[in-house]
Amino acid sequence: MTKVIFYEKPGCIGNEQQKALLARSGHKLDVRDMTTIPWTPEMLRSFFGSRPVHLWFNQSSPRLKSGEICTDKINEIDALALMCQDPLLIRRPLLEVNGRREIGFETSIINDWIGLDMSASAVGEGCPKSNM
């Protein structure tokens, strides 16, 4: 059994489905509310790896949808500062297992990393609701 630290937005239906798949796959979850974590740029940066900055963002965020934030024109430093101020901008979930950190719920990456019960129905990372 693998312990997965799972940073979520409480009440997010997508996160609920993701947690259920991880639990069905035999993983033990340590669930944390990402909106209450005192994020620093260094802490957040460690989840993003080599992904381009625009892939760090929650595409369902009203601030992105409205055009207030244009993710293809923002630099890393500004993106991290915005996310520390407004954690709902962060693509979720954030996952941590044995020191390795990842962002989002890309099932192929997670399956290769810790294993998933792929016989279950598809679970992605999009938010089934339109409000983040």
Side-chain angles (χ1 to χ4, degrees), residues 30-41:
D30 175 353
V31 179
R32 300 181 186 180
D33 179 347
M34 69 185 299
T35 66
T36 64
I37 303 293
W39 295 108
T40 65

Side-chain angles (χ1 to χ4, degrees), residues 40 50 95 112:
T40 65
S50 61
L95 304 167
D112 290 345

Side-chain angles (χ1 to χ4, degrees), residues 3 7 31 46 48 51 73-74 85-86 95 104 108 126 132:
K3 177 184 171 188
Y7 296 89
V31 179
S46 67
F48 304 143
R51 289 179 179 83
K73 295 181 181 179
I74 194 165
Q85 294 169 359
D86 183 358
L95 304 167
S108 61
M132 304 186 288

Side-chain angles (χ1 to χ4, degrees), residues 26-124:
H27 303 296
K28 179 181 178 195
L29 299 175
D30 175 353
V31 179
R32 300 181 186 180
D33 179 347
M34 69 185 299
T35 66
T36 64
I37 303 293
W39 295 108
T40 65
E42 296 77 21
M43 287 170 57
L44 275 178
R45 183 66 185 89
S46 67
F47 286 93
F48 304 143
S50 61
R51 289 179 179 83
V53 172
H54 72 275
L55 294 179
W56 300 358
F57 284 87
N58 170 11
Q59 297 303 309
S60 297
S61 168
R63 294 179 71 189
L64 268 64
K65 287 184 172 185
S66 73
E68 176 187 342
I69 298 171
C70 184
T71 61
D72 60 345
K73 295 181 181 179
I74 194 165
N75 66 44
E76 181 175 310
I77 293 169
D78 291 340
L80 291 167
L82 282 170
M83 291 176 180
C84 287
Q85 294 169 359
D86 183 358
L88 294 179
L89 292 172
I90 304 167
R91 181 176 164 195
R92 52 184 187 264
L94 300 177
L95 304 167
E96 184 175 352
V97 175
N98 296 327
R100 178 176 166 181
R101 293 175 164 181
E102 292 288 341
I103 187 169
F105 205 83
E106 296 176 47
T107 54
S108 61
I109 291 173
I110 297 168
N111 186 48
D112 290 345
W113 176 23
I114 59 173
L116 290 175
D117 177 0
M118 300 304 281
S119 66
S121 61
V123 172

